[in-house]
Amino acid sequence: MHGCGAAQPAGTAWGELVLVVPVLVEGLLLGARYALFAAGFTILFGALRMPFIAYGQLVLVGAYAVLTLTSGLGLGFFAAALAGLLALLPVLYATDRVFFRPLYSSESPVIVYLIITIGLTQILSNAIELVYTANPRTVFTPYRQTAAVLAGYPLSYAGVLSILITGVLVVGVAVLLAHTRFGRALRAMVQNRDAAALMGVDIIRTSTRAYLLAGVLALAGGMLLALDSSFSPDMAVQIIGIVFVIALVGGSGSIFGAMLVGLVLGFVLAAAPLVMEPYMVDFTIYGTLFAFLVLKPEGIFRR
Amino acid sequence: MKAHLAANAALVALGIAVAFSDPFYAGIVTLVALFVFLATAVNLLSGAGVLMFATAGLYGVGAYTYAHLTVYYAVSPWLAIALGTALAAVVGVLVVMASLRLQGIYFAVSTLIANLVMSAVFLNARPLTGGPHGIVGVPTPSVSLLGIDLTLRGPWHTVLTLVALFGWLLVVSAMMRGARGVRLQALRMDSVLAGTLGLGTARIRLQVFLLCAGAMGLAGTLYASYATALSPYEFDIFVSFAVLTMVNVGGRLTFVGPIVGAAFLTVPVFLFQPVYALRNLIYGSLLILVITLSPGGLVGIVRRGADRLRPARLQEGAPDARAA
């Protein structure tokens, strides 16, 4: 998840550049990715009050879908991504229809959401391990070739594309939330659900759309993960840990706040291996979260 | 209370009989008993209105404490059992204290993250836990009675586990009944109201947590001495989810529910190898089915069936039977 090139001893100006460039590039890559994950997750957690535990598995479904479509059907990466999204959208819609829509109008569905999504987590993770084994997998595309070498750091086309597309998606979500009727309805639901309903927001329809949007963002996030990184089933637990941290630190109501925290966290994680042992990174993230939960449970950006 | 006691004693006797019939079955009875430990503890917590996901982590704290002390420091297994139980209780209380200001879903999520942290410690803290390779060669306790030394292995370890379980179920039964049970119920239904009525809600919650975390740790120490080798992957968040499934499938907030659920979901998984690889798929499907169709679980289904039969019986016999 937070892979960064091995740290080289600094000293000269060139040495420092060798350190800074990978951190900046990896930071941008991870930051954009976490902002995307956080956007989808916070739409569910903040607006729908749905703690979607299976989010990490949903991301991996996107990654493995691309793997199957490229290696199985021989599609190019972007054709596979598009085909995967089109094929999975009806599945997302069906899960919404069967599991969640009956609950959108009910009073306190949070625990039910939690338990249903835990069930989905168990099902999806087991299915993924059955079909694809626990070993790391890689989608090989021509984009993996090096596009440029920056201060000794090889930057691949895939990395550039991943940063660009993720960035476009993140900005797109921000624009959607800020400027469309749907976005306003969703933000109104975050602030006060009952008041939003009284002002004419169709809670059920907005919830369904938000669920589909969040699901597509998760799948797309997984596909972009597959574009430039290897992935394995155990990443799902890391992803859910990180998106919870982002959502809680950012303030679970604020989608923009979560995106910002995700971006910052990406840079922090890219830089962290320079100053600490890799396995300490997880402890640091979770430790920060616990400090936040105890000292400032409402998060940085309040609703 | 007496019915519970008799039923528990009968179950323990049955377990011991099965354990001595075949060493393979002895292992299965032990594993079922350990999951009954975990499921009843989670259920007792949900009875106090606490949804807790750090089950596997606390189970692991007990197991690793036992293994670490007995293997690295040659501490007596009995002392290691006591220390593992105590440390799990302490860690459990730390988790609650860190999250005490959080309500409902935020509390549940913070315990989930606490489990992720504990999993990371099991996997990475090599000097303590052996890292990814775990700890091997964990000894089992032994007793000497009337000059005979007996190492508690195989069916004898099952007897140890079942005796411990018997004691724990007495505690659970005592917590769920009478004034204590009513207090817990009040806490679950409306903790603010319970507080204004003079219940020390934080204190009661802490007590229940201390007990349940201790029980999970005790189960962990028994697991370590049964398995004799530990791997960090045995204590990941999916074990917590499996226990949650057992509680809900059996019937949450009842005494027998988690026991039925743990037995129903562990026996086939350990008896048939192909099912083991599919267990999370099965657990997840059952969990979703139960929560959407029959939130009372198996016990709820049986009770509803019994209720349907009851009015007919009342009409036949004395009309005041219900009042009496």
Side-chain angles (χ1 to χ4, degrees), chain A residues 51 53 99 110 114-116 118-119 122-123 125-126 130 237 241 244 248 252 279 283 286 289-290 293-294 297, chain B residues 51 53 98 101 105-106 109-110 112-113 116-117 120-121 124 238 241 245 277-281 283-285 287-288:
Chain A
I53 305 281
F99 298 131
V110 180
L114 189 71
I115 291 180
I116 290 179
I118 284 174
Q122 292 173 307
I123 293 173
S125 71
N126 198 334
L130 272 184
V237 174
F244 260 126
L248 292 173
S252 64
Y279 68 84
F283 294 136
Y286 294 133
L289 173 74
F290 262 101
L293 283 179
V294 175
Chain B
L51 196 59
F53 291 110
R101 288 172 62 180
I105 186 69
Y106 291 94
V109 166
S110 76
L112 193 149
I113 293 171
L116 297 183
V117 174
V121 172
N124 294 313
F238 285 97
F241 292 164
T245 310
L278 296 170
R279 65 192 186 286
N280 282 327
L281 203 69
Y283 291 167
S285 313
L287 184 59
I288 291 178

Side-chain angles (χ1 to χ4, degrees), chain B residues 37 78 81 141 152 155-165 222 225:
Chain B
F37 252 110
W78 296 108
I81 288 179
L152 298 177
W156 290 107
H157 190 279
T158 312
V159 173
L160 169 68
T161 308
L162 286 173
V163 168
L165 180 63
L222 292 169
S225 60

Side-chain angles (χ1 to χ4, degrees), chain A residues 27 39 47-48 55 74 113 117 142 168 237 241 249 254 262 264 275-276 279 281 286:
Chain A
L48 271 57
Y55 202 80
Y113 283 151
T117 58
V168 167
V237 174
V249 171
S254 169
V264 172
V275 290
M276 59 177 84
Y279 68 84
V281 176
Y286 294 133

